[in-house]
């Protein structure tokens, strides 16, 4: 069985920036509230003509160019997202077409904010079993098109963007080590888009009552996130045979700096071991881990030999982690 490794990484964010000051003009909020309650200062928003697939494609091209890989050598494209271009066909198929990855399979994966971790685990499984060798795992979201811009409880939190990793057989470094994949389905209604699926198909009423936007119980999700982030890091440490305080770096799903602060206090870990870029992008759900991982590498935050934990948590309620030995 071949071990899977991260061959290269990439990212793409739209150019348009929406600041907290811009939001002050749209809803009853303030830069002070958003900054102190979340840590977010601004987020990226797609412009006309940009879609989930264009973001995903740009992030994939970035990863392919770093690896010097021809798109025709890609065997599989996985797009983790809950904001696809369309429910049919899969965004991954559009990305395949745009890239010219003519020899690849293509599939979308719906596990909300934990989608990227699930995607990495699928890629590691494909490599281990020989089902596929060169796999693009992309996290891409256009949350701005599923946001109720009149709801201050949610609209200040989300942003658009994409991140990607090329996963392939290990050449001895940057190996994917352990995975934990979980879900607590009893909380499925705490974070959902009620309209647009087969339960509540689109109708004049569903549009007028904002059923097509993200609905969230922020307080409950906050509690869930803190407890699962702590638990996932304890699990990552247990699987590595070390104490949580010996985990070198964490690149978590980017939601709220207070979630990280609370989990750190419970674990006795320094917050400095956690890479955060949420002040620039907000919560980009399935895109947040690869977007942060790419920037953590560029910033020199991740060093050779580090054990790096990638924990995700969100809608479902799903949670999980992947660890990488850099
Ligand atoms: O990717 C996973 C999905 N999402 C998450 O993980 C989000 C997790 N949750 C959170 O990050 C936090 O719960 C929030 C940032 C969403 C909210 O922070 P909070 O400290 O839990 O605030 P709260 O919901 O308890 O609300 C406190 C007050 C309320 O006013 P009252 O009832 O105390 O008068 C809200 O109406 O803050 C009010 N509020 C706002 N005020 C100004 C809520 N949103 C805003 C806002 N601006 N944008």
């Amino acid at each position: 069985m071949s071990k899977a490794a991260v061959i290269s990484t990439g990212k793409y964010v739209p150019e348009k920036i929406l600041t907290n000051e811009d939001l002050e003009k749209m809803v009853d909020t303030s830069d002070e509230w958003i900054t102190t309650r979340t840590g977010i200062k601004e987020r990226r928003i797609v412009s006309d003509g940009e879609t989930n697939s264009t973001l995903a494609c740009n992030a994939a091209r970035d990863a392919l160019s770093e690896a010097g890989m021809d798109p025709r050598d890609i065997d599989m494209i996985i797009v983790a997202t809950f904001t696809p271009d369309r429910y049919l066909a899969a965004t991954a198929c559009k990305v395949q077409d745009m890239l010219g990855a003519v020899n690849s399979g293509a599939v979308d994966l719906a596990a909300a904010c934990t989608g990227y971790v699930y995607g990495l685990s699928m890629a590691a499984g494909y490599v281990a079993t020989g089902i596929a060798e060169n796999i693009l795992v992309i996290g891409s979201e256009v949350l701005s098109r599923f946001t109720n811009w009149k709801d201050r409880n949610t609209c200040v939190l989300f942003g658009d963007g994409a991140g990607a990793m090329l996963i392939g057989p290990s050449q001895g470094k940057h190996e994917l080590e352990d995975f934990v994949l979980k879900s607590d389905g009893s909380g499925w209604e705490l974070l959902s888009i009620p309209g647009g699926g087969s339960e509540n198909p689109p109708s004049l009423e569903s549009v007028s009552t904002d059923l097509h936007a993200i609905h969230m119980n922020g307080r409950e999700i906050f509690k869930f996130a803190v407890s699962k982030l702590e638990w996932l890091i304890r699990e990552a440490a247990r699987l590595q045979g070390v104490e949580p305080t010996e985990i070198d770096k964490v690149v978590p799903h980017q939601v709220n700096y207070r979630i990280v602060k609370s989990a750190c206090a419970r674990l006795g870990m320094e917050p400095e071991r956690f890479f955060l870029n949420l002040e620039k992008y907000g919560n980009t759900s399935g895109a947040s881990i690869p977007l942060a991982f790419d920037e953590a590498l560029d910033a020199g935050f991740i060093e050779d030999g580090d054990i790096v934990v990638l924990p995700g948590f969100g809608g479902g309620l799903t949670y999980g982690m992947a660890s990488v030995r850099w």
Side-chain angles (χ1 to χ4, degrees):
M1 290 228 300
S2 307
K3 269 195 113 173
V6 179
I7 309 300
S8 64
T9 65
K11 70 158 190 186
Y12 180 78
V13 291
E15 276 179 23
K16 192 169 154 192
I17 296 174
L18 186 72
T19 63
N20 291 350
E21 288 72 20
D22 295 329
L23 281 162
E24 286 176 357
K25 295 173 200 137
M26 297 161 63
V27 284
D28 180 16
T29 191
S30 65
D31 172 49
E32 199 266 334
W33 191 96
I34 304 169
T35 306
T36 55
R37 295 291 182 120
T38 70
I40 300 165
K41 298 295 285 183
E42 59 187 42
R43 67 287 293 144
R44 300 299 177 106
I45 303 290
V46 289
S47 301
D48 290 350
E50 282 183 307
T51 63
N52 189 312
S53 57
T54 65
L55 268 51
C57 187
N58 285 333
R61 284 198 176 115
D62 193 23
L64 286 173
S65 114
E66 188 184 303
M69 182 166 287
D70 187 320
R72 287 170 297 190
D73 291 331
I74 297 298
D75 302 310
M76 185 64 68
I77 299 170
I78 300 169
V79 176
T81 188
F82 74 88
T83 56
D85 284 10
R86 302 181 182 192
Y87 282 119
L88 182 71
T91 296
C93 297
K94 290 180 78 176
V95 173
Q96 176 194 11
D97 187 41
M98 284 188 248
L99 290 176
V102 289
N103 298 310
S104 182
V107 64
D108 284 2
L109 192 165
C113 305
T114 320
Y116 201 78
V117 176
Y118 274 84
L120 285 178
S121 76
M122 279 172 64
Y126 286 152
V127 170
T129 53
I131 290 173
E133 241 184 38
N134 300 319
I135 303 155
L136 270 173
V137 185
I138 306 167
S140 183
E141 301 283 9
V142 182
L143 297 172
S144 62
R145 294 204 174 125
F146 294 86
T147 296
N148 177 352
W149 292 104
K150 301 185 291 291
D151 176 14
R152 69 176 184 175
N153 291 294
T154 53
C155 75
V156 302
L157 303 174
F158 303 118
D160 303 336
M165 292 185 201
L166 179 61
I167 303 297
S170 168
Q171 305 292 329
K173 54 182 188 172
H174 307 165
E175 287 178 351
L176 290 164
E177 298 255 315
D178 303 308
F179 290 96
V180 173
L181 302 169
K182 296 284 177 190
S183 173
D184 175 3
S186 70
W188 67 269
E189 215 169 357
L190 293 172
L191 178 50
S192 79
I193 298 176
S198 55
E199 181 191 1
N200 294 309
S203 65
L204 289 176
E205 196 194 343
S206 72
V207 172
S208 65
T209 53
D210 291 314
L211 288 192
H212 300 277
I214 298 164
H215 291 237
M216 181 179 75
N217 181 329
R219 266 180 223 182
E220 287 305 314
I221 297 284
F222 187 94
K223 283 189 264 175
F224 163 80
V226 172
S227 77
K228 295 310 178 199
L229 178 57
E230 177 195 358
W231 183 82
L232 288 166
I233 289 169
R234 288 195 190 282
E235 279 297 283
R238 186 184 65 75
L239 291 165
Q240 285 288 313
V242 300
E243 292 298 317
T245 47
E246 294 173 274
I247 295 289
D248 297 306
K249 305 283 162 55
V250 182
V251 182
H253 170 43
Q254 309 282 312
V255 177
N256 187 327
Y257 83 98
R258 288 190 294 133
I259 291 173
V260 168
K261 219 173 124 192
S262 303
C264 281
R266 293 174 180 208
L267 290 158
M269 283 177 82
E270 306 97 341
E272 291 71 29
R273 294 201 191 187
F274 287 65
F275 185 83
L276 291 180
N277 62 1
L278 58 87
E279 71 281 3
K280 291 191 293 182
Y281 305 128
N283 177 349
T284 58
S285 190
S288 86
I289 289 177
L291 188 50
F293 194 82
D294 184 79
E295 293 202 345
L297 285 173
D298 283 351
F301 177 82
I302 296 169
E303 293 164 300
D304 281 352
D306 275 353
I307 184 75
V308 189
V309 177
L310 313 178
F313 39 84
L317 299 172
T318 55
Y319 55 106
M321 74 91 207
S323 60
V324 189
R325 173 70 68 180
W326 204 251

